[in-house]
Amino acid sequence: MMNRREWFLGSASLAAGAPAAFANQSSTKKPVVISSANGLAACAKAMEMLRSGADTLDAVIAGVNIVELDPNDTSVGYGGLPNEEGVVELDASVMHGPSRRCGSVAAIQGIKTPSKIAKLVMEHTSHVMLVGEGALKFAEAYGYKREDLITEKARTAWLVWKESLKTEQAFNNWRSMDENLAADAAPMNRLKRAFPEINEETLAWAWQMATHPPYGTINCLAVNEKGEMSGVTTTSGLAWKIAGRVGDSPIIGAGLYVDQDVGGAGSTGVGEENIRVAGGHTIVEAMRRGMPPRDAVLEALKRVSRNYNDNKTRLDKLDIEFYALRKDGEHAAGSLWGSHRSYKVYSVNDGGESRHEPCVFLYGS
Ligand code: ASP
């Protein structure tokens, strides 16, 4: 029979390490990659690399590099919408399960693939996070060239945002998120006068971006057939942000968290709300206690909701999504709103074609 001390040590090691449900699981049969909705190609690339025996972190980074380098994705890397000064500033983080190490960069300018710089921080320094000018100099030391990351499309949206500041419908970050009330349809006559050379369709899109800055980001999580896990989150952050603003994506425990014993989690959407609930860590800890990924993402969403006193009128404006991949390959994603919001799906690849699966949600029908 266990004496009191043995019993205590047994429970303590369970509490600190592998959860009861996974204590005996050392492997998963099939590799799985999941990501935010914009990551179908990223998941396919990561899966291809896992199958050829690549490390899980190299696989997810190669996956998100596709999105970072895509000028048409205006929320990640090259082509991302800029800060209020018209400069693209990027945030990214990586976590490598087997070595239990992580790295991140925040508010880095001039580098199209910040996820690669985050990995360099992890591999070559005693630090976890580098920001701003220091992060750029570090990247340059490794041979990366500073490039102009703004595309014509993103610059048009930024100029239209500047124009929107002259109206009552303006979105600006010098007030609380709550105060940034919904704006109406574009005042097309005004915009056409201000930008005669730009077509109406582009102006309508730019107005939408100006007054309802989109959240984007890609979070990608993978487990290979040996049960090894890694994750990455990379973004251009909130459009029109104050220069130097850092979101949740590069914050280990918020935009990303991986524990090799349990699983990984990440987030997209309003980073400030995720930082307040440390979503990535919250989800992994919930899974450690035995919650399935679906319940774990709902748990994080409930904490976001609680910070608004569960007031649905205020929460109505918030876009936030969480993603969870357990070590045994079970996964889920959740968003605050189910019925009338765009981020209702996430990307999954478990060996075949990448596909979208529905998110669970806290509110809506
Ligand atoms: N979470 C990111 C941030 O707040 C933005 C996003 O997901 O688009 O920087």
Side-chain angles (χ1 to χ4, degrees), residues 65-245:
N65 286 165
I66 296 171
V67 186
E68 289 177 323
L69 294 169
D70 179 359
N72 291 317
D73 189 314
T74 53
S75 68
V76 180
Y78 176 53
L81 295 176
N83 66 17
E84 66 174 11
E85 294 171 3
V87 179
V88 178
E89 282 187 342
L90 307 175
D91 295 339
S93 61
V94 300
M95 268 191 111
H96 185 239
S99 64
R100 297 174 185 273
R101 294 169 71 199
C102 55
S104 78
V105 290
I108 185 172
Q109 299 179 7
I111 304 291
K112 287 180 175 169
T113 51
S115 61
K116 289 187 178 176
I117 314 305
K119 185 176 180 233
L120 287 173
V121 173
M122 178 189 97
E123 284 177 332
H124 296 289
T125 78
S126 57
H127 307 316
V128 165
M129 186 173 203
L130 294 179
V131 306
E133 194 61 26
L136 174 57
K137 281 188 187 153
F138 174 79
E140 285 174 331
Y142 278 89
Y144 284 80
K145 297 272 173 284
R146 184 184 188 138
E147 295 181 79
D148 187 0
L149 301 190
I150 194 152
T151 56
E152 275 311 296
K153 188 176 172 186
R155 202 170 57 83
T156 298
W158 176 67
L159 286 172
V160 169
W161 172 69
K162 287 281 203 187
E163 187 66 25
S164 78
L165 292 178
K166 299 172 192 161
T167 74
E168 281 176 11
Q169 296 157 305
F171 177 104
N172 82 79
N173 285 301
W174 292 91
R175 59 186 180 190
S176 74
M177 188 56 82
D178 248 7
E179 287 172 290
N180 272 318
L181 301 170
D184 295 327
M188 202 42 86
N189 286 341
R190 177 193 187 104
L191 290 179
K192 276 176 23 196
R193 271 198 309 277
F195 304 97
E197 71 292 358
I198 296 176
N199 68 49
E200 225 172 272
E201 194 189 337
T202 305
L203 286 178
W205 169 81
W207 179 262
Q208 180 64 20
M209 297 299 103
T211 52
H212 300 84
Y215 288 88
T217 306
I218 179 163
N219 164 246
C220 187
L221 303 161
V223 59
N224 68 12
E225 57 191 9
K226 290 186 259 171
E228 295 168 344
M229 302 201 67
S230 286
V232 58
T233 303
T234 177
T235 188
S236 55
L238 175 60
W240 335 130
K241 60 193 174 184
I242 297 170
R245 177 263 189 186

Side-chain angles (χ1 to χ4, degrees), residues 2 19 28-29 60 146 198 218 226 230 232 252 256 260 288 314:
M2 265 193 228
T28 176
K29 289 205 175 55
V60 290
R146 184 184 188 138
I198 296 176
I218 179 163
K226 290 186 259 171
S230 286
V232 58
I252 300 297
L256 178 67
Q260 183 53 55
R288 191 195 304 279
R314 290 171 69 209

Side-chain angles (χ1 to χ4, degrees), residues 304-343:
V304 171
S305 176
R306 174 68 189 86
N307 282 344
Y308 280 73
N309 290 323
D310 299 322
N311 180 327
K312 291 192 191 171
T313 309
R314 290 171 69 209
L315 287 166
D316 185 57
K317 301 177 212 105
L318 277 188
D319 256 332
I320 188 158
E321 303 80 35
F322 292 106
Y323 311 89
L325 175 62
R326 204 168 57 185
K327 190 185 169 179
D328 64 356
E330 178 90 15
H331 52 81
S335 79
L336 212 43
W337 291 97
S339 55
H340 58 301
R341 291 290 184 271
S342 54
Y343 276 88

